[in-house]
Amino acid sequence: MQTATPQPPPRTNHDVQLRTLESEADWAAATALQVATMTEQFGHRGHAFARNQMARYRRFVAEGRGAWFGAYADDELVADMGVFVEDGLGRFQAVETAAAFRRRGVCGTLAYHAARTALAELGARVLVIVGLPDHTSQIYRSVGFEVRERLIAAVRRGTPAT
């Protein structure tokens, strides 16, 4: 899915505060949220994967390759996502929302904020999200993303490396 002209979501959440992650506490909270939601989806295997991914994303932000955004309710991080930009192409990464804050317009509000910031401040000209045709794609449609390509893949599960 892609857009160059994000639109405000039909259901904006005005109760959350939106900002980029900056402090050690911000990154720790985002990592904890990513670990919790990955573990919820993939079990214990998701735990290590999420921790490693967040360390990688933090390095990318430190290198100036993008930004990580958070939605906060009463100083608690309730949703987060990253956008990384290369050659004018901004790609969304690892969008997660705490279970207690889902279906309240938080993710759409954060996605719109992140999209506008990526276009205005990070050098993106076009924004893309690669994801499954599920609830997440409905969120992106609500802020102006449209399907441009379909990817079909097969994964062969093997024995985990030791």
Side-chain angles (χ1 to χ4, degrees), residues 86-105:
E86 187 169 324
D87 296 328
L89 183 66
R91 185 168 190 264
F92 281 74
Q93 293 288 336
V95 180
E96 298 296 348
T97 304
F101 287 85
R102 293 179 189 153
R103 304 213 181 274
R104 297 166 84 182

Side-chain angles (χ1 to χ4, degrees), residues 33-56:
L33 179 56
Q34 291 284 328
V35 166
T37 54
M38 271 297 199
T39 303
E40 178 184 296
Q41 188 174 9
F42 296 105
H44 186 67
R45 292 180 306 165
H47 186 273
F49 176 81
R51 284 201 175 286
N52 291 337
Q53 281 293 84
M54 287 304 289
R56 184 171 150 244

Side-chain angles (χ1 to χ4, degrees), residues 69-124:
F69 302 89
Y72 293 81
D74 298 323
D75 294 323
E76 175 190 355
L77 181 75
V78 298
D80 69 310
M81 66 177 59
V83 178
F84 296 101
V85 180
E86 187 169 324
D87 296 328
L89 183 66
R91 185 168 190 264
F92 281 74
Q93 293 288 336
V95 180
E96 298 296 348
T97 304
F101 287 85
R102 293 179 189 153
R103 304 213 181 274
R104 297 166 84 182
V106 174
C107 191
T109 302
L110 183 58
Y112 177 63
H113 170 77
R116 289 186 43 198
T117 302
L119 291 166
E121 300 175 19
L122 301 177

